[in-house]
Short mmCIF file of all heavy atoms in Angstrom, two decimals:
data_model
loop_
_atom_site.label_atom_id
_atom_site.label_comp_id
_atom_site.label_asym_id
_atom_site.label_seq_id
_atom_site.Cartn_x
_atom_site.Cartn_y
_atom_site.Cartn_z
N MET A 1 7.08 1.80 16.05
CA MET A 1 6.96 3.23 15.97
C MET A 1 6.01 3.68 14.91
O MET A 1 5.94 3.09 13.79
CB MET A 1 8.33 3.83 15.65
CG MET A 1 8.31 5.32 15.42
SD MET A 1 9.96 5.96 15.21
CE MET A 1 10.48 6.30 16.87
N GLU A 2 5.07 4.50 15.23
CA GLU A 2 3.97 5.00 14.29
C GLU A 2 4.16 6.47 13.95
O GLU A 2 4.74 7.21 14.68
CB GLU A 2 2.63 4.71 14.87
CG GLU A 2 2.41 3.23 15.04
CD GLU A 2 0.93 2.95 15.18
OE1 GLU A 2 0.09 3.91 15.14
OE2 GLU A 2 0.61 1.84 15.35
N ARG A 3 3.68 6.76 12.78
CA ARG A 3 3.69 8.14 12.32
C ARG A 3 2.53 8.91 13.10
O ARG A 3 1.74 8.25 13.76
CB ARG A 3 3.33 8.20 10.78
CG ARG A 3 4.29 7.43 9.92
CD ARG A 3 5.60 8.05 9.78
NE ARG A 3 5.35 9.40 9.09
CZ ARG A 3 6.14 9.92 8.18
NH1 ARG A 3 7.24 9.26 7.79
NH2 ARG A 3 5.91 11.02 7.60
N THR A 4 2.52 10.14 12.95
CA THR A 4 1.59 10.95 13.72
C THR A 4 0.13 10.69 13.26
O THR A 4 -0.77 10.91 13.97
CB THR A 4 1.88 12.46 13.50
OG1 THR A 4 1.91 12.78 12.12
CG2 THR A 4 3.18 12.82 14.17
N ASN A 5 -0.01 10.26 12.04
CA ASN A 5 -1.46 9.99 11.54
C ASN A 5 -1.87 8.57 11.91
O ASN A 5 -2.91 8.18 11.44
CB ASN A 5 -1.58 10.22 10.02
CG ASN A 5 -0.64 9.33 9.17
OD1 ASN A 5 0.00 8.48 9.75
ND2 ASN A 5 -0.61 9.55 7.91
N GLY A 6 -1.11 7.86 12.70
CA GLY A 6 -1.54 6.53 13.15
C GLY A 6 -1.03 5.39 12.30
O GLY A 6 -1.28 4.20 12.66
N LEU A 7 -0.49 5.65 11.20
CA LEU A 7 0.07 4.59 10.32
C LEU A 7 1.58 4.27 10.63
O LEU A 7 2.31 5.17 10.98
CB LEU A 7 -0.03 5.03 8.81
CG LEU A 7 -1.40 5.15 8.18
CD1 LEU A 7 -1.32 5.66 6.82
CD2 LEU A 7 -2.15 3.82 8.30
N PRO A 8 1.89 2.98 10.55
CA PRO A 8 3.33 2.70 10.83
C PRO A 8 4.20 3.25 9.64
O PRO A 8 3.73 3.58 8.59
CB PRO A 8 3.35 1.17 10.88
CG PRO A 8 2.06 0.71 10.22
CD PRO A 8 1.04 1.91 10.29
N PHE A 9 5.50 3.24 9.93
CA PHE A 9 6.45 3.67 8.88
C PHE A 9 6.42 2.77 7.69
O PHE A 9 6.66 3.21 6.57
CB PHE A 9 7.90 3.79 9.45
CG PHE A 9 8.13 5.06 10.28
CD1 PHE A 9 8.16 5.02 11.68
CD2 PHE A 9 8.31 6.21 9.64
CE1 PHE A 9 8.36 6.11 12.40
CE2 PHE A 9 8.58 7.36 10.35
CZ PHE A 9 8.57 7.28 11.81
N VAL A 10 6.19 1.47 7.96
CA VAL A 10 6.17 0.43 6.85
C VAL A 10 4.81 -0.27 7.03
O VAL A 10 4.46 -0.69 8.08
CB VAL A 10 7.33 -0.53 7.00
CG1 VAL A 10 7.23 -1.57 6.00
CG2 VAL A 10 8.66 0.19 6.95
N LEU A 11 4.09 -0.28 5.91
CA LEU A 11 2.74 -0.89 5.94
C LEU A 11 2.76 -2.28 5.35
O LEU A 11 3.50 -2.56 4.45
CB LEU A 11 1.83 -0.03 5.08
CG LEU A 11 1.31 1.31 5.60
CD1 LEU A 11 2.43 2.33 5.64
CD2 LEU A 11 0.16 1.80 4.86
N THR A 12 1.89 -3.06 5.86
CA THR A 12 1.61 -4.44 5.34
C THR A 12 0.40 -4.36 4.36
O THR A 12 -0.26 -3.35 4.30
CB THR A 12 1.24 -5.38 6.50
OG1 THR A 12 -0.02 -4.97 7.06
CG2 THR A 12 2.33 -5.40 7.57
N PRO A 13 0.19 -5.45 3.65
CA PRO A 13 -1.03 -5.46 2.75
C PRO A 13 -2.32 -5.21 3.59
O PRO A 13 -3.22 -4.57 3.08
CB PRO A 13 -0.96 -6.78 2.13
CG PRO A 13 0.50 -7.11 1.97
CD PRO A 13 1.02 -6.58 3.31
N MET A 14 -2.32 -5.67 4.79
CA MET A 14 -3.55 -5.52 5.58
C MET A 14 -3.72 -3.99 6.01
O MET A 14 -4.79 -3.49 6.08
CB MET A 14 -3.53 -6.39 6.88
CG MET A 14 -3.66 -7.83 6.55
SD MET A 14 -5.19 -8.19 5.49
CE MET A 14 -6.51 -7.58 6.60
N ASP A 15 -2.55 -3.32 6.28
CA ASP A 15 -2.61 -1.89 6.47
C ASP A 15 -3.25 -1.15 5.27
O ASP A 15 -4.04 -0.23 5.41
CB ASP A 15 -1.30 -1.32 6.82
CG ASP A 15 -0.76 -1.83 8.14
OD1 ASP A 15 -1.51 -2.04 9.11
OD2 ASP A 15 0.57 -1.98 8.19
N VAL A 16 -2.68 -1.56 4.09
CA VAL A 16 -3.20 -0.98 2.81
C VAL A 16 -4.74 -1.17 2.67
O VAL A 16 -5.46 -0.36 2.33
CB VAL A 16 -2.41 -1.56 1.61
CG1 VAL A 16 -3.11 -1.17 0.30
CG2 VAL A 16 -0.95 -1.18 1.67
N ALA A 17 -5.15 -2.39 3.07
CA ALA A 17 -6.61 -2.72 2.94
C ALA A 17 -7.41 -1.82 3.85
O ALA A 17 -8.47 -1.30 3.44
CB ALA A 17 -6.77 -4.20 3.33
N ARG A 18 -6.94 -1.62 5.06
CA ARG A 18 -7.66 -0.79 6.05
C ARG A 18 -7.71 0.68 5.58
O ARG A 18 -8.79 1.33 5.59
CB ARG A 18 -7.00 -0.86 7.43
CG ARG A 18 -7.44 -2.13 8.24
CD ARG A 18 -7.03 -2.00 9.70
NE ARG A 18 -5.59 -2.01 9.78
CZ ARG A 18 -4.84 -3.09 9.82
NH1 ARG A 18 -5.41 -4.29 9.71
NH2 ARG A 18 -3.52 -3.05 9.98
N VAL A 19 -6.61 1.21 5.12
CA VAL A 19 -6.60 2.56 4.65
C VAL A 19 -7.56 2.82 3.43
O VAL A 19 -8.19 3.83 3.39
CB VAL A 19 -5.11 3.02 4.33
CG1 VAL A 19 -5.12 4.37 3.66
CG2 VAL A 19 -4.28 3.08 5.52
N MET A 20 -7.48 1.85 2.54
CA MET A 20 -8.24 1.99 1.30
C MET A 20 -9.65 1.46 1.41
O MET A 20 -10.46 1.56 0.47
CB MET A 20 -7.44 1.34 0.20
CG MET A 20 -6.15 1.98 -0.17
SD MET A 20 -5.32 1.12 -1.55
CE MET A 20 -6.35 1.54 -2.90
N CYS A 21 -10.00 0.81 2.49
CA CYS A 21 -11.32 0.26 2.73
C CYS A 21 -11.66 -0.79 1.70
O CYS A 21 -12.71 -0.66 1.01
CB CYS A 21 -12.41 1.30 2.82
SG CYS A 21 -12.14 2.47 4.13
N ILE A 22 -10.65 -1.65 1.47
CA ILE A 22 -10.85 -2.77 0.50
C ILE A 22 -10.60 -4.09 1.20
O ILE A 22 -10.14 -4.16 2.29
CB ILE A 22 -9.93 -2.56 -0.79
CG1 ILE A 22 -8.45 -2.55 -0.33
CG2 ILE A 22 -10.27 -1.29 -1.55
CD1 ILE A 22 -7.46 -2.51 -1.45
N SER A 23 -10.95 -5.17 0.51
CA SER A 23 -10.77 -6.49 1.07
C SER A 23 -9.32 -6.91 1.05
O SER A 23 -8.47 -6.26 0.42
CB SER A 23 -11.52 -7.59 0.20
OG SER A 23 -10.89 -7.71 -1.05
N ARG A 24 -9.01 -7.93 1.79
CA ARG A 24 -7.69 -8.48 1.91
C ARG A 24 -7.19 -8.91 0.56
O ARG A 24 -6.05 -8.56 0.12
CB ARG A 24 -7.66 -9.60 2.95
CG ARG A 24 -6.38 -10.35 3.00
CD ARG A 24 -6.56 -11.55 3.95
NE ARG A 24 -5.31 -12.29 4.11
CZ ARG A 24 -4.96 -13.32 3.36
NH1 ARG A 24 -5.78 -13.73 2.38
NH2 ARG A 24 -3.80 -13.86 3.57
N ASN A 25 -8.02 -9.57 -0.19
CA ASN A 25 -7.64 -10.11 -1.49
C ASN A 25 -7.35 -8.94 -2.46
O ASN A 25 -6.39 -9.00 -3.27
CB ASN A 25 -8.73 -11.05 -2.07
CG ASN A 25 -8.77 -12.35 -1.40
OD1 ASN A 25 -7.88 -12.70 -0.72
ND2 ASN A 25 -9.95 -13.05 -1.58
N LYS A 26 -8.17 -7.85 -2.44
CA LYS A 26 -7.97 -6.80 -3.29
C LYS A 26 -6.68 -6.03 -2.94
O LYS A 26 -5.96 -5.55 -3.81
CB LYS A 26 -9.17 -5.85 -3.27
CG LYS A 26 -9.02 -4.65 -4.18
CD LYS A 26 -8.83 -5.07 -5.64
CE LYS A 26 -10.08 -5.16 -6.40
NZ LYS A 26 -9.85 -5.30 -7.85
N ALA A 27 -6.41 -5.94 -1.64
CA ALA A 27 -5.16 -5.33 -1.22
C ALA A 27 -3.97 -6.07 -1.75
O ALA A 27 -3.00 -5.44 -2.19
CB ALA A 27 -5.10 -5.27 0.35
N TYR A 28 -3.97 -7.41 -1.70
CA TYR A 28 -2.91 -8.16 -2.30
C TYR A 28 -2.78 -7.88 -3.80
O TYR A 28 -1.61 -7.82 -4.32
CB TYR A 28 -2.95 -9.65 -1.96
CG TYR A 28 -2.42 -9.91 -0.56
CD1 TYR A 28 -3.21 -9.96 0.58
CD2 TYR A 28 -1.03 -10.09 -0.38
CE1 TYR A 28 -2.70 -10.17 1.80
CE2 TYR A 28 -0.47 -10.35 0.79
CZ TYR A 28 -1.31 -10.42 1.96
OH TYR A 28 -0.72 -10.63 3.16
N GLU A 29 -3.85 -7.78 -4.47
CA GLU A 29 -3.79 -7.46 -5.95
C GLU A 29 -3.17 -6.12 -6.13
O GLU A 29 -2.28 -5.97 -7.06
CB GLU A 29 -5.24 -7.42 -6.54
CG GLU A 29 -5.86 -8.72 -6.69
CD GLU A 29 -7.25 -8.58 -7.38
OE1 GLU A 29 -7.51 -7.65 -8.19
OE2 GLU A 29 -8.22 -9.34 -6.93
N VAL A 30 -3.53 -5.14 -5.33
CA VAL A 30 -2.89 -3.84 -5.43
C VAL A 30 -1.40 -3.86 -5.15
O VAL A 30 -0.55 -3.33 -5.88
CB VAL A 30 -3.57 -2.83 -4.43
CG1 VAL A 30 -2.81 -1.51 -4.33
CG2 VAL A 30 -5.03 -2.53 -4.85
N VAL A 31 -1.02 -4.54 -4.09
CA VAL A 31 0.40 -4.62 -3.62
C VAL A 31 1.27 -5.30 -4.70
O VAL A 31 2.43 -4.98 -5.00
CB VAL A 31 0.53 -5.35 -2.32
CG1 VAL A 31 1.95 -5.73 -1.99
CG2 VAL A 31 -0.05 -4.51 -1.16
N HIS A 32 0.61 -6.26 -5.42
CA HIS A 32 1.41 -6.99 -6.52
C HIS A 32 1.30 -6.30 -7.83
O HIS A 32 2.03 -6.65 -8.78
CB HIS A 32 0.83 -8.41 -6.65
CG HIS A 32 1.18 -9.33 -5.46
ND1 HIS A 32 0.38 -9.46 -4.40
CD2 HIS A 32 2.25 -10.21 -5.34
CE1 HIS A 32 0.95 -10.32 -3.62
NE2 HIS A 32 2.01 -10.80 -4.15
N SER A 33 0.65 -5.19 -7.99
CA SER A 33 0.54 -4.53 -9.27
C SER A 33 1.81 -3.83 -9.59
O SER A 33 2.57 -3.46 -8.73
CB SER A 33 -0.63 -3.50 -9.27
OG SER A 33 -0.42 -2.46 -8.36
N ARG A 34 2.08 -3.70 -10.83
CA ARG A 34 3.41 -3.17 -11.35
C ARG A 34 3.71 -1.77 -10.88
O ARG A 34 4.86 -1.51 -10.59
CB ARG A 34 3.41 -3.29 -12.89
CG ARG A 34 4.73 -2.97 -13.45
CD ARG A 34 4.81 -3.23 -14.94
NE ARG A 34 3.50 -3.41 -15.66
CZ ARG A 34 3.21 -2.83 -16.77
NH1 ARG A 34 4.07 -2.13 -17.38
NH2 ARG A 34 2.03 -3.07 -17.32
N ASP A 35 2.78 -0.88 -10.79
CA ASP A 35 3.11 0.56 -10.43
C ASP A 35 3.03 0.73 -8.90
O ASP A 35 3.26 1.92 -8.48
CB ASP A 35 2.15 1.42 -11.13
CG ASP A 35 0.68 1.32 -10.72
OD1 ASP A 35 0.36 0.13 -10.32
OD2 ASP A 35 -0.11 2.27 -10.74
N PHE A 36 2.73 -0.25 -8.14
CA PHE A 36 2.69 -0.08 -6.64
C PHE A 36 4.09 -0.15 -6.08
O PHE A 36 4.80 -1.10 -6.45
CB PHE A 36 1.72 -1.12 -6.03
CG PHE A 36 1.41 -0.84 -4.61
CD1 PHE A 36 0.48 0.12 -4.27
CD2 PHE A 36 2.09 -1.46 -3.58
CE1 PHE A 36 0.12 0.40 -3.00
CE2 PHE A 36 1.76 -1.19 -2.26
CZ PHE A 36 0.88 -0.18 -1.94
N PRO A 37 4.47 0.76 -5.22
CA PRO A 37 5.90 0.81 -4.76
C PRO A 37 6.22 -0.11 -3.54
O PRO A 37 6.73 0.27 -2.56
CB PRO A 37 6.00 2.31 -4.21
CG PRO A 37 4.60 2.60 -3.74
CD PRO A 37 3.70 1.94 -4.75
N SER A 38 5.91 -1.34 -3.78
CA SER A 38 6.13 -2.36 -2.63
C SER A 38 7.50 -3.01 -2.73
O SER A 38 8.16 -2.90 -3.81
CB SER A 38 5.06 -3.44 -2.64
OG SER A 38 5.20 -4.23 -3.84
N PHE A 39 7.94 -3.57 -1.68
CA PHE A 39 9.16 -4.39 -1.75
C PHE A 39 9.04 -5.53 -0.82
O PHE A 39 8.01 -5.66 -0.07
CB PHE A 39 10.35 -3.48 -1.15
CG PHE A 39 10.15 -2.98 0.25
CD1 PHE A 39 10.67 -3.70 1.33
CD2 PHE A 39 9.53 -1.86 0.47
CE1 PHE A 39 10.52 -3.20 2.63
CE2 PHE A 39 9.33 -1.27 1.79
CZ PHE A 39 9.84 -2.03 2.90
N LYS A 40 9.88 -6.62 -1.03
CA LYS A 40 9.72 -7.86 -0.29
C LYS A 40 10.74 -7.90 0.91
O LYS A 40 11.88 -7.45 0.71
CB LYS A 40 9.96 -9.02 -1.19
CG LYS A 40 8.76 -9.28 -2.17
CD LYS A 40 9.02 -10.45 -2.98
CE LYS A 40 8.62 -11.74 -2.18
NZ LYS A 40 8.67 -12.91 -3.09
N VAL A 41 10.29 -8.42 1.96
CA VAL A 41 11.12 -8.76 3.04
C VAL A 41 10.90 -10.25 3.30
O VAL A 41 9.82 -10.63 3.87
CB VAL A 41 10.71 -8.00 4.40
CG1 VAL A 41 11.59 -8.41 5.54
CG2 VAL A 41 10.83 -6.43 4.13
N GLY A 42 11.88 -11.07 2.89
CA GLY A 42 11.62 -12.42 2.80
C GLY A 42 10.52 -12.75 1.82
O GLY A 42 10.64 -12.41 0.68
N LYS A 43 9.46 -13.38 2.28
CA LYS A 43 8.31 -13.64 1.39
C LYS A 43 7.15 -12.71 1.50
O LYS A 43 6.09 -12.86 0.94
CB LYS A 43 7.83 -15.13 1.67
CG LYS A 43 8.80 -16.16 1.23
CD LYS A 43 8.21 -17.50 1.46
CE LYS A 43 9.22 -18.59 1.00
NZ LYS A 43 8.71 -19.92 1.25
N GLN A 44 7.39 -11.72 2.36
CA GLN A 44 6.29 -10.77 2.68
C GLN A 44 6.47 -9.38 2.00
O GLN A 44 7.59 -8.87 1.86
CB GLN A 44 6.27 -10.54 4.23
CG GLN A 44 5.94 -11.79 4.96
CD GLN A 44 5.97 -11.54 6.50
OE1 GLN A 44 6.54 -10.57 6.92
NE2 GLN A 44 5.44 -12.51 7.21
N TYR A 45 5.35 -8.85 1.56
CA TYR A 45 5.35 -7.53 0.85
C TYR A 45 5.15 -6.42 1.82
O TYR A 45 4.36 -6.58 2.82
CB TYR A 45 4.32 -7.53 -0.19
CG TYR A 45 4.69 -8.29 -1.44
CD1 TYR A 45 4.44 -9.66 -1.49
CD2 TYR A 45 5.30 -7.68 -2.50
CE1 TYR A 45 4.78 -10.38 -2.60
CE2 TYR A 45 5.66 -8.37 -3.63
CZ TYR A 45 5.38 -9.72 -3.67
OH TYR A 45 5.79 -10.45 -4.79
N ARG A 46 5.87 -5.32 1.63
CA ARG A 46 5.70 -4.12 2.47
C ARG A 46 5.75 -2.92 1.58
O ARG A 46 6.27 -2.98 0.45
CB ARG A 46 6.91 -4.02 3.45
CG ARG A 46 6.88 -5.19 4.48
CD ARG A 46 5.71 -5.09 5.38
NE ARG A 46 5.79 -6.08 6.50
CZ ARG A 46 5.15 -7.26 6.44
NH1 ARG A 46 4.42 -7.63 5.38
NH2 ARG A 46 5.19 -8.13 7.49
N VAL A 47 5.32 -1.79 2.10
CA VAL A 47 5.45 -0.49 1.36
C VAL A 47 5.67 0.57 2.40
O VAL A 47 5.15 0.55 3.55
CB VAL A 47 4.14 -0.13 0.58
CG1 VAL A 47 2.93 -0.08 1.42
CG2 VAL A 47 4.33 1.09 -0.25
N SER A 48 6.61 1.47 2.07
CA SER A 48 6.91 2.61 3.07
C SER A 48 5.69 3.54 3.09
O SER A 48 4.99 3.73 2.09
CB SER A 48 8.17 3.35 2.61
OG SER A 48 7.87 4.25 1.59
N HIS A 49 5.48 4.11 4.27
CA HIS A 49 4.41 4.98 4.49
C HIS A 49 4.39 6.14 3.54
O HIS A 49 3.35 6.47 2.87
CB HIS A 49 4.64 5.56 5.96
CG HIS A 49 3.64 6.61 6.36
ND1 HIS A 49 3.87 7.91 6.09
CD2 HIS A 49 2.49 6.55 7.06
CE1 HIS A 49 2.89 8.63 6.57
NE2 HIS A 49 2.02 7.81 7.18
N ASP A 50 5.52 6.76 3.34
CA ASP A 50 5.61 7.94 2.44
C ASP A 50 5.32 7.54 0.96
O ASP A 50 4.63 8.29 0.27
CB ASP A 50 6.90 8.59 2.55
CG ASP A 50 7.15 9.24 3.97
OD1 ASP A 50 6.16 9.54 4.61
OD2 ASP A 50 8.35 9.34 4.36
N LYS A 51 5.92 6.47 0.55
CA LYS A 51 5.68 6.04 -0.77
C LYS A 51 4.26 5.64 -1.13
O LYS A 51 3.68 5.88 -2.11
CB LYS A 51 6.61 4.93 -1.24
CG LYS A 51 8.12 5.39 -1.41
CD LYS A 51 8.91 4.34 -2.01
CE LYS A 51 10.36 4.77 -2.04
NZ LYS A 51 10.71 5.53 -3.24
N PHE A 52 3.65 5.01 -0.08
CA PHE A 52 2.18 4.62 -0.25
C PHE A 52 1.34 5.85 -0.41
O PHE A 52 0.51 5.94 -1.27
CB PHE A 52 1.75 3.76 0.96
CG PHE A 52 0.29 3.56 0.94
CD1 PHE A 52 -0.29 2.74 0.05
CD2 PHE A 52 -0.54 4.17 1.89
CE1 PHE A 52 -1.70 2.56 0.00
CE2 PHE A 52 -1.89 3.92 1.96
CZ PHE A 52 -2.49 3.10 1.04
N LEU A 53 1.51 6.85 0.51
CA LEU A 53 0.72 8.07 0.40
C LEU A 53 0.99 8.83 -0.81
O LEU A 53 0.00 9.35 -1.45
CB LEU A 53 0.97 8.96 1.64
CG LEU A 53 0.51 8.36 3.01
CD1 LEU A 53 0.83 9.35 4.12
CD2 LEU A 53 -0.93 8.05 2.92
N SER A 54 2.21 8.86 -1.34
CA SER A 54 2.49 9.47 -2.60
C SER A 54 1.77 8.75 -3.82
O SER A 54 1.14 9.31 -4.66
CB SER A 54 4.03 9.52 -2.86
OG SER A 54 4.27 10.01 -4.15
N TRP A 55 1.85 7.40 -3.73
CA TRP A 55 1.18 6.58 -4.77
C TRP A 55 -0.34 6.83 -4.73
O TRP A 55 -0.99 6.97 -5.80
CB TRP A 55 1.53 5.12 -4.52
CG TRP A 55 0.77 4.17 -5.46
CD1 TRP A 55 1.08 3.78 -6.72
CD2 TRP A 55 -0.44 3.54 -5.19
NE1 TRP A 55 0.13 2.95 -7.22
CE2 TRP A 55 -0.84 2.81 -6.25
CE3 TRP A 55 -1.35 3.55 -4.08
CZ2 TRP A 55 -2.00 2.02 -6.33
CZ3 TRP A 55 -2.48 2.82 -4.11
CH2 TRP A 55 -2.81 2.07 -5.23
N LEU A 56 -0.93 6.83 -3.60
CA LEU A 56 -2.32 6.98 -3.41
C LEU A 56 -2.78 8.40 -3.96
O LEU A 56 -3.79 8.49 -4.60
CB LEU A 56 -2.71 6.79 -1.90
CG LEU A 56 -4.18 6.77 -1.60
CD1 LEU A 56 -4.86 5.60 -2.32
CD2 LEU A 56 -4.38 6.59 -0.10
N SER A 57 -1.99 9.40 -3.63
CA SER A 57 -2.28 10.70 -4.16
C SER A 57 -2.22 10.80 -5.66
O SER A 57 -3.12 11.33 -6.29
CB SER A 57 -1.28 11.69 -3.57
OG SER A 57 -1.50 12.99 -4.06
N THR A 58 -1.20 10.16 -6.22
CA THR A 58 -1.07 10.15 -7.72
C THR A 58 -2.19 9.32 -8.26
O THR A 58 -2.81 9.76 -9.35
CB THR A 58 0.26 9.52 -8.09
OG1 THR A 58 1.34 10.30 -7.54
CG2 THR A 58 0.50 9.43 -9.53
N ALA A 59 -2.54 8.20 -7.72
CA ALA A 59 -3.63 7.36 -8.22
C ALA A 59 -4.91 8.17 -8.27
O ALA A 59 -5.76 8.09 -9.15
CB ALA A 59 -3.76 6.09 -7.47
N SER A 60 -5.26 8.88 -7.19
CA SER A 60 -6.50 9.63 -7.10
C SER A 60 -6.45 10.85 -8.05
O SER A 60 -7.49 11.18 -8.59
CB SER A 60 -6.76 10.00 -5.61
OG SER A 60 -5.83 10.89 -5.15
N ASP A 61 -5.32 11.46 -8.18
CA ASP A 61 -5.20 12.63 -9.02
C ASP A 61 -5.46 12.24 -10.49
O ASP A 61 -6.13 12.91 -11.25
CB ASP A 61 -3.87 13.35 -8.92
CG ASP A 61 -3.65 14.07 -7.61
OD1 ASP A 61 -4.73 14.36 -6.92
OD2 ASP A 61 -2.54 14.45 -7.33
N GLN A 62 -4.93 11.08 -10.83
CA GLN A 62 -5.05 10.61 -12.24
C GLN A 62 -6.27 9.75 -12.46
O GLN A 62 -6.62 9.35 -13.57
CB GLN A 62 -3.84 9.77 -12.55
CG GLN A 62 -2.58 10.43 -12.63
CD GLN A 62 -1.38 9.56 -12.94
OE1 GLN A 62 -1.44 8.36 -13.05
NE2 GLN A 62 -0.22 10.18 -13.02
N LYS A 63 -7.07 9.55 -11.32
CA LYS A 63 -8.22 8.75 -11.40
C LYS A 63 -8.07 7.41 -12.08
O LYS A 63 -8.85 7.00 -12.87
CB LYS A 63 -9.43 9.58 -12.06
CG LYS A 63 -9.77 10.86 -11.29
CD LYS A 63 -10.87 11.56 -11.87
CE LYS A 63 -11.14 12.83 -11.06
NZ LYS A 63 -11.98 13.80 -11.67
N MET A 64 -6.93 6.83 -11.79
CA MET A 64 -6.61 5.53 -12.39
C MET A 64 -7.39 4.40 -11.75
O MET A 64 -7.73 4.54 -10.56
CB MET A 64 -5.12 5.24 -12.26
CG MET A 64 -4.57 4.96 -10.94
SD MET A 64 -2.85 4.30 -10.82
CE MET A 64 -1.98 5.66 -11.53
N GLU A 65 -7.66 3.38 -12.54
CA GLU A 65 -8.27 2.20 -12.01
C GLU A 65 -7.19 1.36 -11.33
O GLU A 65 -6.19 1.05 -11.92
CB GLU A 65 -8.98 1.42 -13.13
CG GLU A 65 -9.70 0.28 -12.64
CD GLU A 65 -10.52 -0.42 -13.69
OE1 GLU A 65 -10.93 0.27 -14.67
OE2 GLU A 65 -10.71 -1.62 -13.66
N ILE A 66 -7.48 1.01 -10.09
CA ILE A 66 -6.46 0.22 -9.36
C ILE A 66 -6.79 -1.19 -9.44
O ILE A 66 -7.89 -1.69 -9.02
CB ILE A 66 -6.41 0.71 -7.88
CG1 ILE A 66 -6.12 2.18 -7.84
CG2 ILE A 66 -5.44 -0.04 -7.08
CD1 ILE A 66 -6.22 2.85 -6.51
N ALA A 67 -5.81 -2.01 -9.88
CA ALA A 67 -5.86 -3.50 -9.99
C ALA A 67 -7.17 -3.85 -10.64
O ALA A 67 -8.10 -4.35 -10.49
CB ALA A 67 -5.67 -4.21 -8.65
#
């Protein structure tokens, strides 16, 4: 099931890479960073759609350097 903006409810690191226009390796750095709202399912990292967009908005508002 996907959200109206085309993103799934739960994003993978590759989804994060596509949205942010960054490399796969950089996406994994972001997903593993302390302030990123990811969670693990088995050995795989995921982030909820809403938490990702909130984090992205906060990061851009604060003009923080990501990973």
Side-chain angles (χ1 to χ4, degrees):
M1 176 179 271
E2 294 198 2
R3 302 286 295 220
T4 56
N5 61 5
L7 293 175
F9 281 104
V10 178
L11 285 72
T12 66
M14 289 308 299
D15 294 326
V16 171
R18 279 191 295 275
V19 170
M20 296 180 68
C21 299
I22 57 177
S23 71
R24 175 183 180 268
N25 289 343
K26 183 56 93 173
Y28 275 96
E29 286 180 38
V30 170
V31 168
H32 287 89
S33 66
R34 191 170 12 136
D35 65 331
F36 191 79
S38 65
F39 60 93
K40 285 181 83 173
V41 177
K43 293 183 178 181
Q44 300 177 344
Y45 284 87
R46 298 292 186 262
V47 61
S48 79
H49 173 275
D50 294 336
K51 289 190 184 275
F52 172 68
L53 293 179
S54 176
W55 173 86
L56 191 58
S57 176
T58 299
S60 64
D61 287 347
Q62 295 177 356
K63 296 181 181 167
M64 69 170 62
E65 185 173 328
I66 300 170

